[in-house]
Amino acid sequence: MRKTTAEVLKSRKESNRGSLIGYFPAGFPTLSDSVDAAIAMCRNGVDVLELGVPYSDPVMDGLVIQQATETALANGFKLRQLFDAVKQITSAVDTPVLVMTYWNPVLSYGVENFARDLKEAGGAGLITPDLIPDEAGEWLAVSDKYNLERVFLAAPTSSAERVARACELSRGFIYAVSTMGITGTRDSVDDLAKQVVAAVRVADAEQNTAVGIGISSAAQVADVNSYADGAIVGSVFVRAYAGGGLANLKDVTLNLSGKK
């Protein structure tokens, strides 16, 4: 039976291995290519997969991911194809697959329809970067109905009350945003990440926390895993594939996961 995201993160943390959470956009550069890329990532060291939904107004995404999602849309990606991709990936690997999406596509598709189709495809749940818990009533109810994971964000600017609410309602992990701004690699992961993780620990010592935005090297992955429950990497994987195809993506995944 496929483990939940929380089970994977806790198991790896307890064995001092740490977790690598990898992002790749569905449909980039084509749907079949993105499925092959995602499977390759899972088979070469990614412990939890984030499959991104291409969106025309990606306010939090850095240039690398923006360009990739624009390519996917230009090549004809449609939201309904997301579920085909999830099904193909989950049929090939046991890695939990979370869908990373802005909320508008979910609303457009229908919240219950989206949840039902995601569950039927074998998806674990959703990461919703622009949906805050206080405005997530419909998603909370539907995700309970379909037993789907839900990942909310915590940022350096989040109040203690907001962090506590995110901890209470998240299933899987809290996405700790390490820097204010858009995604993309940086030379160093902001020290603010540790503050966000510490705030989550105060609110709920049992809740998992993974750090994203700005992680670009194996050393940073290891550093983040020394104090959090997982390191989230996105732009590096997209750039690796764009620059060298599947072979380069596998190589970068092995390196970031510490397997090479």
Side-chain angles (χ1 to χ4, degrees), residues 103-123:
W103 194 238
N104 270 347
V106 181
L107 285 176
S108 297
Y109 194 86
V111 178
E112 176 139 3
N113 292 337
F114 199 106
R116 181 198 63 233
D117 290 354
L118 180 61
K119 184 70 174 182
E120 290 179 354

Side-chain angles (χ1 to χ4, degrees), residues 135-206:
E135 298 175 359
E138 186 176 6
W139 168 232
L140 296 175
V142 171
S143 55
D144 280 344
K145 177 178 178 179
Y146 290 98
N147 193 28
L148 289 168
E149 297 172 3
R150 50 193 185 226
V151 176
F152 293 108
L153 273 62
T157 54
S158 298
S159 66
E161 292 76 17
R162 176 65 61 83
V163 172
R165 185 71 170 152
C167 287
E168 176 190 352
L169 297 175
S170 289
R171 285 201 296 254
F173 61 91
I174 297 289
Y175 192 126
V177 180
S178 63
T179 58
M180 299 307 294
I182 60 174
T183 62
T185 60
R186 291 174 171 81
D187 291 336
S188 62
V189 176
D190 203 307
D191 285 342
L192 291 174
K194 293 182 179 179
Q195 296 179 28
V196 178
V197 173
V200 171
R201 301 291 192 222
V202 169
D204 185 350
E206 298 302 313

Side-chain angles (χ1 to χ4, degrees), residues 77-99:
F77 175 82
K78 303 298 182 187
L79 185 56
R80 64 179 180 274
Q81 296 176 310
L82 170 73
F83 308 101
D84 295 331
V86 172
K87 187 171 183 178
Q88 291 180 57
I89 296 164
T90 57
S91 295
V93 296
D94 291 331
T95 310
V97 178
L98 288 163
V99 167

